[in-house]
Amino acid sequence: MEPQFDQFMQFHPIHGTNVRLDHTGTQATRVESFANGVCFSKAPLKPGEIFLIEIEEKELGWCGHLRIGLTARDPKSFEVVPEYSIPDLTDQGDSWVFAITRNHNKVIEEADVPENLDGGLAGGHRLGRGEAEDEDQRNGDGHNLKTKSFFTDTHLYIENVCIPKDKLVGRSRPGRFSHILDDLYKTNALPPTARRSRIGVLYVPKARGLADMHIIINGEDMGASAKGIPATNPLHAVVDVFAATKSVRIVQVEYGFSSLQTLCRKAIQNNIVHRMAIDWLELPETLKHLCKYE
């Protein structure tokens, strides 16, 4: 299933007291302290639709990073937006939020998880909160099974959901070492909390009105972070601009057929040594800018 969405993603005007949105509603910045940075998507997500953000700015001196997830609570229902997404929001129920750590938040499926009578996991079973550091997984020969390799697929497939990868992977700002840094984003070798890293959340419908929540980090699916979420009510994305994460920006994702603009950009990028080589091409400056920055 390749979803067809056309809504312009924005943050909800209701948010934490320390958050300031830009005039487009697509950039959220925490202006004080380290808390009260909880934000929501303006509109509920559709099944398979990703809410994708990029870390724009970091702030030294704080412990902890971005948190992301879903809530079945309407942001307009809050008299006061919770100070923290974890545990304040999650303790109110109907919210599933995970901390993005410096290590990967890859979910290891649990064996023999008890199911409820409806065949789902009651109330949205949490498979992990991303708080603990992951350990290396090794096979019988002692080789690391988590070794990263370059992603060559043009789309990310999660069961029956198909999302173009073009916008999912973070990219460095153009500079002397852009080609090296870009490869680190592609292989997820950098910490997911690094500046310019791209993190998204979506839900995949399952049987009996339930869904699984997936977190995507730089184009890599971290697995079902929460299973058995009731999907009969609208689900809004939750982004907590917490602690060391200072500012985030929404990245608009193209679905369906790639635009002519995207196809031209890919054709140029696939035939150069690295991104900075675009400057050597005899192209209009506007096109060069598009190829380097997006």
Side-chain angles (χ1 to χ4, degrees):
M1 176 180 71
E2 192 163 339
Q4 303 290 326
F5 307 125
D6 57 5
Q7 70 168 324
F8 183 75
M9 292 288 188
Q10 293 177 294
F11 286 111
H12 202 288
I14 294 176
H15 49 69
T17 55
N18 283 337
V19 170
R20 297 294 180 270
L21 302 182
D22 71 347
H23 69 283
T24 68
T26 62
Q27 185 174 34
T29 303
R30 193 186 68 255
V31 294
E32 292 183 21
S33 184
F34 62 93
N36 284 302
V38 177
C39 303
F40 307 95
S41 60
K42 186 174 183 179
L45 300 185
K46 298 174 183 177
E49 184 177 32
I50 188 170
F51 191 82
L52 181 67
I53 59 97
E54 177 176 286
I55 298 177
E56 286 275 283
E57 188 178 349
K58 305 290 292 292
E59 185 172 34
L60 299 176
W62 300 116
C63 180
H65 301 276
L66 178 84
R67 295 162 175 188
I68 194 168
L70 297 171
T71 182
R73 298 174 62 89
D74 188 334
K76 292 184 290 187
S77 68
F78 291 107
E79 292 185 7
V80 177
V81 175
E83 183 176 7
Y84 304 100
S85 59
I86 304 173
D88 298 5
L89 177 61
T90 53
D91 282 355
Q92 294 184 28
D94 295 328
S95 297
W96 304 268
V97 183
F98 289 72
I100 304 300
T101 67
R102 287 188 59 81
N103 283 356
H104 289 286
N105 293 65
K106 194 82 173 180
V107 171
I108 306 303
E109 295 288 346
E110 296 175 351
D112 300 321
V113 178
E115 295 185 346
N116 63 18
L117 297 178
D118 293 329
L121 299 171
H125 180 71
R126 301 173 64 82
L127 295 184
R129 294 175 58 170
E131 301 286 0
E133 303 293 346
D134 294 336
E135 295 181 0
D136 285 345
Q137 302 172 57
R138 300 182 183 276
N139 60 18
D141 298 329
H143 292 99
N144 192 347
L145 298 178
K146 298 179 73 175
T147 301
K148 299 297 180 290
S149 60
F150 285 94
F151 297 138
T152 56
D153 293 338
T154 59
H155 289 72
L156 174 66
Y157 296 91
I158 305 174
E159 298 186 25
N160 62 340
V161 172
C162 173
I163 307 173
K165 267 193 173 181
D166 188 47
K167 294 292 186 72
L168 299 185
V169 182
R171 304 184 72 193
S172 65
R173 295 193 183 278
R176 184 178 179 183
F177 301 106
S178 292
H179 58 295
I180 299 175
L181 290 172
D182 288 349
D183 287 345
L184 295 178
Y185 284 114
K186 288 178 182 177
T187 55
N188 247 338
L190 291 174
T193 55
R195 191 165 174 262
R196 307 282 287 176
S197 200
R198 293 186 176 183
I199 302 168
V201 63
L202 59 91
Y203 68 93
V204 178
K206 308 296 282 190
R208 302 177 180 87
L210 301 177
D212 291 349
M213 183 182 83
H214 288 250
I215 293 174
I216 312 301
I217 298 178
N218 287 316
E220 183 181 359
D221 176 23
M222 297 292 108
S225 302
K227 285 190 171 184
I229 294 176
T232 52
N233 293 325
L235 293 171
H236 288 259
V238 179
V239 176
D240 191 350
V241 188
F242 177 70
T245 302
K246 175 77 170 176
S247 181
V248 299
R249 173 180 64 89
I250 297 174
V251 179
Q252 308 296 331
V253 177
E254 294 179 348
Y255 296 89
F257 293 106
S258 297
S259 66
L260 180 59
Q261 185 182 70
T262 298
L263 292 174
C264 289
R265 179 172 65 242
K266 287 183 176 179
I268 293 171
Q269 292 171 347
N270 289 338
N271 288 279
I272 57 176
V273 178
H274 56 76
R275 191 150 44 116
M276 295 314 295
I278 292 172
D279 285 330
W280 308 335
L281 303 177
E282 295 183 2
L283 296 173
E285 289 300 320
T286 302
L287 185 54
K288 291 181 181 180
H289 182 86
L290 173 70
C291 292
K292 288 191 295 184
Y293 283 85
E294 288 299 323

